[in-house]
Amino acid sequence: MGELRAFVEHALREATQGIADLPRQVIGTSGERDQVVTEADLRVNAVLTELIRARFPASAIVSEEADPVEGDGLTWIIDPIDGTSNFAAGSPLYGSMLAAVRNGSVIAGGIALPAFAELYTAELGEGAFCGDERLRLTSRESLVDELVAYGMDVGAPEAIAPDLATVTGLAGSCRGIRSSNSVFDAVMVARGAYGALLHRGMRIWDIAPIAILVSEAGGECTALDGTPLRFDSPTKRHAEVYAVRCARPGLSEALDAVVGEAL
């Protein structure tokens, strides 16, 4: 196991220990009413930040729950709890994420699903794993037999109209649509249970750990239109919104058709 992957695994295990026993009440929001904060978000963020500072003291940090901190060429991306609304409501469909970015590329990352006692890690060129199990996606060219996850945040009718158009296209093309609106859906893609995940409103902390896990499992993680995702200058571009799709290999043409028609 590479140094960064080993650190990611250790850090996520430490930070999420006992998370299910923490209070679940909402203590604040991050602007939008569906972007809630709990004590667990702050606790996980604090533990991950402390571990990063101890091991990589000169690195930059970008977290959903804190202002970005400048550093050297290595940037750590933290999402303390992805799916906080699920966590607060008592749903098990939430997770914690950590990724390392250097020179515009995600070079290591991990996802913990505490409610399922699962920890996923990946390092560039080394593969993706759930514990010691290596994840390997198979190629398919049709959506017909695939479950597809679609993440959608709340908003005004005109704001979510493109989402509804895309979901309508998917509904006529795949076996079924699923949505936890959390990292759980991305893990299902990396495991091969879902064929794809689409979301128009991610931030860098939502997508960086997912991108390396899916790609190292053999899948594709791109912008919604199929172009490469950009991870350069993360401390400067942390507020940028990413429209993304992650999928098993071979589905690009089928997803292009659905997304192109919706646009």
Side-chain angles (χ1 to χ4, degrees):
M1 185 184 297
E3 176 191 7
L4 290 178
R5 183 178 153 228
F7 173 76
V8 167
E9 182 178 86
H10 167 71
L12 285 172
R13 199 177 302 279
E14 289 292 311
T16 58
Q17 186 175 5
I19 191 174
D21 299 323
L22 293 176
R24 295 183 181 239
Q25 65 263 32
V26 173
I27 60 174
T29 63
S30 300
E32 302 297 329
R33 60 188 169 93
D34 62 330
Q35 301 299 312
V36 300
V37 179
T38 67
E39 181 181 319
D41 293 270
L42 304 182
R43 179 265 178 92
V44 172
N45 184 70
V47 174
L48 288 175
T49 300
E50 181 180 353
L51 291 169
I52 291 167
R53 280 283 161 255
R55 183 71 174 275
F56 303 94
S59 63
I61 298 178
V62 175
S63 171
E64 183 178 15
E65 303 302 339
D67 293 330
V69 177
E70 297 289 349
D72 64 13
L74 183 65
T75 301
W76 289 96
I77 312 294
I78 300 173
D79 191 345
I81 298 185
D82 189 83
T84 306
S85 292
N86 294 350
F87 174 80
S91 166
L93 304 184
Y94 65 89
S96 298
M97 300 196 286
L98 180 64
V101 174
R102 179 183 285 133
N103 298 328
S105 297
V106 187
I107 58 174
I111 297 167
L113 298 183
F116 299 93
E118 293 178 349
L119 209 165
Y120 296 80
T121 56
E123 190 162 353
L124 189 63
E126 300 297 327
F129 299 83
C130 176
D132 295 327
E133 173 197 359
R134 184 157 187 176
L135 306 180
R136 301 179 189 272
L137 292 171
T138 56
S139 180
R140 295 177 189 166
E141 296 182 358
S142 172
L143 288 170
V144 172
D145 295 324
E146 301 291 329
L147 297 177
V148 176
Y150 196 93
M152 184 172 66
D153 297 322
V154 297
E158 60 272 17
I160 65 173
D163 295 299
L164 299 180
T166 307
V167 169
T168 299
L170 288 170
S173 305
C174 68
R175 173 167 288 175
I177 298 172
R178 302 292 182 265
S179 182
S180 74
N181 208 28
S182 78
V183 67
F184 175 83
D185 292 335
V187 168
M188 291 299 99
V189 175
R191 291 198 67 96
Y194 295 174
L197 160 66
L198 287 73
H199 201 301
R200 293 178 183 270
M202 287 188 169
R203 301 295 179 90
I204 192 169
W205 44 76
D206 298 310
I207 188 57
I210 290 169
I212 191 163
L213 186 73
V214 172
S215 61
E216 285 295 317
E220 301 172 350
C221 195
T222 68
L224 199 58
D225 62 3
T227 58
L229 293 169
R230 293 182 57 192
F231 295 109
D232 55 290
S233 304
T235 58
K236 300 291 194 301
R237 303 174 63 220
H238 65 280
E240 182 172 324
V241 176
Y242 291 75
V244 305
R245 74 187 196 203
C246 299
R248 69 163 67 249
L251 293 179
S252 293
E253 187 174 340
L255 289 170
D256 282 342
V258 173
V259 172
E261 186 173 339
L263 294 175

